[in-house]
Amino acid sequence: LSFKQTNTIPIQLNPDALPKHVAIIMDGNGRWAKKRLLDRIKGHEKGADSVRQIVEACGKIGVPILTLFAFSTENWQRPKKEVTALMVLLKKFLVSERPNLMDKGVRLNAIGDLDRLPKEVRDELDKTIRLTSANDTVTVNLALSYGARAEIVRMARQICEEVKSGRLQSNEITDETVSNYLYTAGIPDPDLLIRTSGEMRISNFMLWQIAYAEIFITDTLWPDFNENEFYEILKRFQMRERRFGRV
Ligand code: IPE
Ligand code: IPE
Ligand code: MG
């Protein structure tokens, strides 16, 4: 049985007013572990359970696109021990989740400077992306080795090359052109941005794409974040008035 068939939509959510794209800054794994006198990596391990839960929740209620900030460009500067442990965890997750992704109709995609990932992680990532490419219940974009400024620099370089070669005129460059040269080309901008663990900052995530996203910051640490809190936030999202600069 798929989730769609077994599910009843939770807590007064209007199925016609759900965000098409939710983006999440999954923060607070280290603090979760520290509170329990555990190694930070235990927090990352527990965080993987939250990922599974929120991906499944999107499938149940019909949120078609979920982007998860899993590892930033700046996170490469963490101690080698933590970076290595995160890469090992990511690789394990990509392998162990495959049957579940197939079962739930989840298509995996990745955004970021993927060439910086260790080869064995990159291979498992590519394999999972290929395997799930025809799934259409939810698309999950994993932001890995992702930084919005690096993404913008890459876009600028690519557009410059197009102009230099004469394929594009500079006065033809529009918002849409810029969007088309970002990692998220073809993906609608997030309607809703969630950050866990209370920090009031963006930390170099999707700077261009979140121009009109509704922002929710919860104090809950990512490993404690669950389906019910996600639905609560969606309910509050549906109560917000989005004006896009108009009256
Ligand atoms: C988020 O949790 C996961 C990654 C950035 C990889 P943190 O590891 O940043 O946890 P805190 O913010 O130190 O609690
Ligand atoms: C943002 O969290 C990156 C991810 C969640 C992957 P960080 O923990 O790296 O951000 P800062 O350092 O608090 O800004
Ligand atoms: Mg953090």
Side-chain angles (χ1 to χ4, degrees):
L1 281 180
S2 81
F3 267 106
K4 270 194 173 151
Q5 288 164 310
T6 54
N7 174 60
T8 50
I9 301 259
I11 52 162
Q12 316 110 30
L13 280 175
N14 175 359
D16 300 322
L18 286 166
K20 300 261 176 302
H21 183 175
V22 175
I24 307 183
I25 301 173
M26 309 185 291
D27 196 20
N29 295 350
R31 276 162 282 176
W32 183 93
K34 195 172 175 201
K35 269 189 8 194
R36 288 162 179 77
L37 305 174
L38 296 169
D39 190 81
R40 293 177 59 83
I41 198 65
K42 292 283 172 217
H44 298 311
E45 280 170 19
K46 188 71 175 28
D49 295 339
S50 304
V51 170
R52 195 175 301 111
Q53 207 176 123
I54 300 311
V55 170
E56 290 184 8
C58 286
K60 281 192 203 179
I61 60 171
V63 170
I65 308 171
L66 174 68
T67 298
L68 297 172
F69 200 8
F71 192 84
S72 75
T73 310
E74 292 71 28
N75 291 152
W76 288 115
Q77 296 164 55
R78 291 192 178 189
K80 189 167 179 290
K81 181 174 164 273
E82 183 172 350
V83 172
T84 305
L86 275 166
M87 292 300 143
V88 170
L89 182 64
L90 174 59
K91 190 181 140 191
K92 277 194 199 154
F93 187 81
L94 287 166
V95 175
S96 68
E97 282 307 302
R98 267 177 213 142
N100 197 28
L101 297 175
M102 294 311 290
D103 187 44
K104 303 281 158 29
V106 178
R107 180 163 82 96
L108 189 79
N109 181 33
I111 60 171
D113 186 1
L114 307 180
D115 291 339
R116 283 184 79 179
L117 297 172
K119 186 179 180 305
E120 66 274 19
V121 174
R122 181 65 196 271
D123 288 348
E124 297 300 346
L125 181 64
D126 289 344
K127 200 170 157 191
T128 309
I129 291 171
R130 269 199 312 276
L131 180 76
T132 63
S133 62
N135 292 347
D136 61 2
T137 304
V138 188
T139 297
V140 174
N141 302 306
L142 266 193
L144 292 170
S145 188
Y146 174 88
R149 286 188 166 184
E151 179 183 38
I152 288 168
V153 168
R154 177 178 168 272
M155 171 274 294
R157 286 184 180 154
Q158 289 181 356
I159 291 182
C160 284
E161 287 302 320
E162 296 292 320
V163 172
K164 214 167 74 183
S165 71
R167 284 189 295 268
L168 185 69
Q169 301 294 311
S170 62
N171 61 7
E172 291 170 350
I173 299 171
T174 62
D175 282 20
E176 205 191 336
T177 319
V178 170
S179 294
N180 285 340
Y181 283 89
L182 300 177
Y183 289 122
T184 48
I187 301 170
D189 290 339
D191 309 291
L192 166 61
L193 172 69
I194 300 171
R195 181 172 186 141
T196 57
S197 85
E199 306 296 352
M200 297 289 179
R201 57 179 173 254
I202 298 297
S203 302
N204 200 16
F205 188 48
M206 297 189 112
L207 295 178
W208 170 272
Q209 298 90 333
I210 61 167
Y212 264 106
E214 295 296 324
I215 300 177
F216 285 82
I217 295 179
T218 169
D219 285 335
T220 305
L221 304 174
W222 177 251
D224 290 327
F225 192 74
N226 62 24
E227 182 179 26
N228 289 335
E229 186 169 1
F230 183 56
Y231 298 143
E232 261 325 305
I233 291 174
L234 290 172
K235 196 168 90 184
R236 280 159 55 208
F237 167 83
Q238 294 190 331
M239 295 188 299
R240 291 239 185 127
E241 188 194 351
R242 302 186 76 192
R243 284 193 291 273
F244 301 98
R246 298 185 286 262
V247 289

